C-alpha cells in the first residue's frame, strides 16, 4: 500500500496530499476517520520497514506502537465514528512517526515524503 511517487511531479504530490489530508473542515467524521486510517497504515508500514533495517536497536516501544496501530487498523469503532476517534488514530500516527525518526533519522525517501508532510501538518 505504499505511495509510489518516484519521479512524480509536484502536481502528483499535491494531489496525494489533498486526498490524505484529514484536517479539512469540510470532511465528515467518517471521511476524516478513513483518511486517518490510511495515514496510520502508511506510518505503520514505514515504521515496520525502518525497524527491519535496524535490527541492532531495541524495539520494545516500536513493537508496542505497531501492535496498537494494527489494532486501530483492524478494529471497528464501538460507537458511531466521531472526530475524537479520528484524532486518536492521528495521535498514533504522530507517535509512530516519532519512533521512526528515533530509529531511522529524519531523512525521507520520495515515497515517504507525503507521510512526512502530512505529519508536519498534523503537528501544527
Amino acid at each position: 500500500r505504499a505511495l509510489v511517487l518516484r519521479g512524480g511531479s509536484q502536481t502528483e504530490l499535491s494531489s496525494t496530499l489533498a486526498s490524505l489530508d484529514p484536517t479539512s473542515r469540510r470532511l465528515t467524521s467518517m471521511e476524516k476517520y478513513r483518511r486517518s486510517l490510511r495515514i496510520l497504515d502508511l506510518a505503520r508500514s514505514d515504521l515496520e520497514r525502518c525497524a527491519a533495517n535496524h535490527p541492532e536497536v531495541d524495539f520494545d516501544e516500536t513493537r508496542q506502537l505497531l501492535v496498537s496501530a494494527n489494532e486501530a487498523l483492524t478494529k471497528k469503532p464501538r460507537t458511531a465514528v466521531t472526530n475524537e476517534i479520528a484524532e486518536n488514530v492521528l495521535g498514533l500516527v504522530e507517535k509512530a512517526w516519532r519512533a521512526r525518526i528515533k530509529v531511522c533519522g529524519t531523512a525521507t525517501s520520495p515515497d515517504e515524503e507525503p507521510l512526512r508532510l502530512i505529519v508536519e501538518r498534523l503537528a501544527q
Side-chain angles (χ1 to χ4, degrees):
R1 286 193 189 184
L3 294 173
V4 180
L5 293 174
R6 284 181 212 111
S9 69
Q10 280 300 118
T11 304
E12 288 172 296
L13 178 60
S14 295
S15 176
T16 299
L17 291 173
S19 70
L20 286 173
D21 187 359
T23 63
S24 173
R25 294 189 189 277
R26 295 177 292 167
L27 296 177
T28 64
S29 295
M30 180 55 85
E31 182 60 20
K32 182 175 181 174
Y33 177 68
R34 279 191 203 110
R35 290 179 184 207
S36 299
L37 289 177
R38 176 75 174 120
I39 296 164
L40 180 60
D41 189 33
L42 293 170
R44 177 192 51 95
S45 295
D46 195 47
L47 183 57
E48 283 177 338
R49 270 191 309 278
C50 172
N53 290 327
H54 292 84
E56 74 283 357
V57 178
D58 178 24
F59 289 111
D60 287 338
E61 178 186 354
T62 300
R63 266 189 229 99
Q64 184 53 49
L65 273 170
L66 290 171
V67 166
S68 296
N70 286 327
E71 287 174 359
L73 288 165
T74 59
K75 186 173 66 173
K76 300 279 186 218
R78 293 181 202 170
T79 62
V81 173
T82 63
N83 280 340
E84 184 177 338
I85 292 171
E87 291 295 329
N88 290 339
V89 171
L90 293 172
L92 269 175
V93 167
E94 291 183 74
K95 288 178 186 175
W97 186 253
R98 283 193 303 269
R100 181 245 180 247
I101 288 173
K102 186 176 176 182
V103 174
C104 291
T106 57
T108 57
S109 71
D111 290 345
E112 296 166 318
E113 194 61 9
L115 177 60
R116 182 189 68 78
L117 292 169
I118 288 289
V119 172
E120 283 182 3
R121 171 127 189 189
L122 295 174
Q124 293 176 351

